[in-house]
């Protein structure tokens, strides 16, 4: 293995096209490259959404690999391509095995492959559960910011389902300028609720922390609600819990019954993506027979094409796009190159002469 500090793209531009070196970037390197960069990453995610909406991306539907013998698990493939100033193609390959948590390891594990724009060669494999959690937390913080511009900024946040994703979202909110009078916590698992409370206490938050046994109590006492459960089908259906018109970040996508969706303003990240895979908006479309309940995308809101009324609950259901992982992955790659710590796997691509 060699360590170098020049990018595949740079070497391809200055010399005749050659096969790019192949690098492996560890989770420790990814975390180091992203730490303390929350505001920058939120800006990167905003720019990537704008690029995607302008059509400068290719983001086909995610492919869900499921298993008859392990029905709660899946591995999702998210191929994508982004244009703009640093064009890159690639694939995120992310497993979700919810039973992992009981054995003490995270639910999700992932790699991200980056492909060279000019040759198509893969030039990096990055640990990607951190990239995935980071881009998810970044769009949650971005959405919370944009959606609260036309209404009272939330002061009481409630986390519904408190695993790793909830932790990342809290960190991003806190580091991008949010402070709350109260942080509510609700989880089916008392261990998760206690673990998240411990994390909050260590984070140095000055907010009051309230652990709620009841889902109703959590929602009624929060004006920003973050769903990050692993529910496979809707389990929240009482519209009266939402009569205070909270802002809801429906990150886990399958918690809300169609009754709630139909009574809310609904914003998604990408309409075609979100109306798939039995998400709550997908179930609502099947029930209603139309898409009239969707008000637009996050980019519509950012561009001023859609305004969000304050007199209904606002539900943001982000499917999570592969282009976001690519953008964050390329950012990490460039940071690692800059630090001179890129680990190249020598001779990864071999037998390159056509006739031997
Ligand atoms: N939209 C996106 O782009 C995106 C990206 C990343 C993760 N996610 C989703 O975020 C969710 C959370 O991921 P994670 O890694 O934090 O999972 P995790 O397993 O670490 O934590 C999930 C928590 O939810 C709790 N839970 C499950 N069902 C519940 C219910 N009905 N009520 C209350 N609590 C419940 C579990 O006890 C657990 O503590 C997953 O569904 C994942 O698919 C979405």
């Amino acid at each position: 293995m060699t360590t170098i500090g020049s990018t595949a793209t740079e070497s391809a531009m200055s010399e005749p096209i050659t096969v790019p070196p192949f690098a492996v970037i560890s989770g420790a390197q990814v975390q180091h490259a992203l730490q303390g960069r929350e505001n920058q990453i939120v800006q990167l995610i905003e720019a990537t959404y704008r690029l995607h909406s302008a059509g400068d991306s290719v983001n086909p539907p995610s492919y869900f690999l499921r298993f008859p013998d392990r029905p709660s698990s899946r591995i999702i493939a998210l191929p994508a391509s982004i244009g703009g100033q640093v064009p890159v193609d690639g694939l995120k390959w992310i497993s979700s095995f919810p039973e992992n948590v009981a054995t003490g390891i995270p639910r999700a594990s992932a790699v991200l492959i980056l492909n060279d724009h000019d040759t198509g060669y893969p030039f990096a494999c990055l640990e990607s559960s951190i990239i995935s959690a980071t881009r998810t937390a970044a769009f949650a913080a971005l959405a919370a910011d944009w959606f609260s511009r036309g209404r009272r900024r939330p002061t009481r946040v409630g986390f519904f389902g408190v695993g790793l994703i909830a932790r990342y979202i809290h960190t991003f909110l806190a580091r991008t300028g949010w402070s709350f009078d109260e942080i509510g916590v609700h989880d089916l698992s008392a261990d998760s609720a206690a673990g998240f409370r411990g994390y909050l206490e260590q984070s140095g938050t000055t907010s009051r922390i309230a652990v709620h046994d009841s889902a109703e109590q959590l929602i009624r006492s929060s004006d920003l609600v973050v769903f990050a459960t692993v529910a496979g089908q809707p389990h929240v259906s009482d519209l009266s819990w939402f009569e205070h018109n909270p802002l809801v970040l429906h990150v886990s996508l399958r918690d809300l019954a169609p009754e709630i969706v139909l009574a809310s303003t609904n914003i998604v990240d990408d309409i075609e993506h979100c109306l798939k895979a039995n998400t709550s908006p997908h179930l609502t479309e099947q029930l209603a027979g139309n898409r009239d309940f969707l008000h637009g995308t996050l980019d519509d809101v950012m561009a001023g094409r859609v305004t969000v009324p304050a007199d209904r609950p606002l539900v943001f259901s982000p499917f999570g796009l592969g282009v976001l992982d690519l953008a964050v992955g390329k950012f990490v790659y460039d940071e690692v190159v800059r630090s001179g710590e890129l680990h190249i796997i020598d001779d990864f691509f071999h037998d390159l002469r056509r006739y031997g």
Side-chain angles (χ1 to χ4, degrees):
M1 190 174 69
T2 326
T3 300
I4 64 160
S6 79
T7 69
T9 318
E10 276 164 11
S11 57
M13 281 189 322
S14 53
E15 294 162 21
I17 287 187
T18 54
V19 169
F22 186 80
V24 172
I25 299 180
S26 70
Q29 289 181 294
V30 171
Q31 190 172 50
H32 188 252
L34 292 173
Q35 224 152 33
R37 298 281 176 74
E38 288 80 8
N39 284 298
Q40 210 176 338
I41 299 299
V42 170
Q43 282 167 17
L44 175 65
I45 293 295
E46 177 169 338
T48 307
Y49 271 130
R50 292 189 195 272
L51 210 66
H52 175 65
S53 290
D56 203 0
S57 67
V58 185
N59 203 126
S62 303
Y63 182 83
F64 284 65
L65 180 66
R66 295 188 186 279
F67 319 99
D69 61 331
R70 289 156 291 165
S72 64
S73 300
R74 63 180 190 227
I75 311 181
I76 314 178
L78 294 86
S81 171
I82 32 176
Q85 287 172 343
V86 276
V88 65
D89 312 324
L91 174 74
K92 172 189 186 182
W93 181 232
I94 182 160
S95 309
S96 171
F97 279 56
E99 277 81 37
N100 282 357
V101 171
T103 68
I105 61 172
R107 173 191 65 83
S109 56
V111 291
L112 176 71
I113 301 291
L114 299 179
N115 290 77
D116 181 43
H117 178 269
D118 297 330
T119 61
Y121 270 74
F123 63 90
C125 174
L126 295 85
E127 193 290 329
S128 202
S129 68
I130 295 171
I131 290 172
S132 181
T134 297
R135 64 79 147 138
T136 303
F139 67 58
L142 178 70
D145 180 35
W146 275 96
F147 298 152
S148 56
R149 290 188 188 186
R151 49 167 74 201
R152 231 183 106 249
R153 201 164 159 92
T155 56
R156 298 169 305 155
V157 63
F159 288 93
F160 198 127
V162 286
L164 184 136
I165 293 295
R167 165 163 72 84
Y168 269 76
I169 293 176
H170 173 266
T171 301
F172 259 77
L173 289 171
R175 297 205 180 148
T176 55
W178 287 82
S179 61
F180 299 100
D181 297 338
E182 185 168 299
I183 300 176
V185 175
H186 171 72
D187 199 291
L188 290 182
S189 148
D191 282 351
S192 295
F196 191 70
R197 184 190 190 116
Y199 149 74
L200 288 172
E201 284 166 355
Q202 278 181 10
S203 77
T205 182
T206 53
S207 316
R208 244 181 351 264
I209 301 168
V211 175
H212 299 281
D213 292 336
S214 131
E216 174 177 3
Q217 236 175 37
L218 177 94
I219 292 175
R220 284 191 185 275
S221 58
S222 308
D223 42 17
L224 173 61
V225 183
V226 179
F227 279 95
T229 72
V230 284
Q233 50 214 14
H235 53 98
V236 173
S237 58
D238 191 333
L239 193 52
S240 70
W241 297 2
F242 297 82
E243 62 197 1
H244 57 302
N245 300 322
L247 166 51
V248 180
L249 303 179
H250 187 209
V251 174
S252 37
L253 294 165
R254 297 176 184 83
D255 303 275
L256 300 175
E259 300 87 294
I260 311 282
V261 175
L262 286 169
S264 304
T265 300
N266 291 282
I267 305 291
V268 296
D269 53 355
D270 180 293
I271 292 175
E272 292 306 326
H273 282 254
C274 216
L275 293 176
K276 286 194 170 74
N278 292 332
T279 63
S280 298
H282 187 203
L283 299 181
T284 307
E285 182 191 29
Q286 288 166 346
L287 186 77
N290 62 58
R291 298 176 171 191
D292 299 350
F293 62 92
L294 288 181
H295 295 80
T297 64
L298 175 57
D299 186 65
D300 288 332
V301 175
M302 296 190 310
R305 289 186 296 271
V306 166
T307 47
V308 286
D311 61 351
R312 313 176 86 197
L314 171 56
V315 175
F316 177 52
S317 299
F319 197 77
L321 304 173
V323 286
L324 305 175
D325 297 279
L326 265 190
V328 176
K330 184 61 169 53
F331 174 92
V332 169
Y333 179 86
D334 290 343
E335 281 302 309
V336 175
V337 169
R338 234 189 300 282
S339 70
E341 295 295 324
L342 190 68
H343 301 315
I344 297 293
I345 307 296
D346 292 331
D347 298 324
F348 186 81
F349 294 111
H350 193 65
D351 198 8
L352 297 169
R353 281 194 304 232
R354 198 158 184 218
Y355 299 111

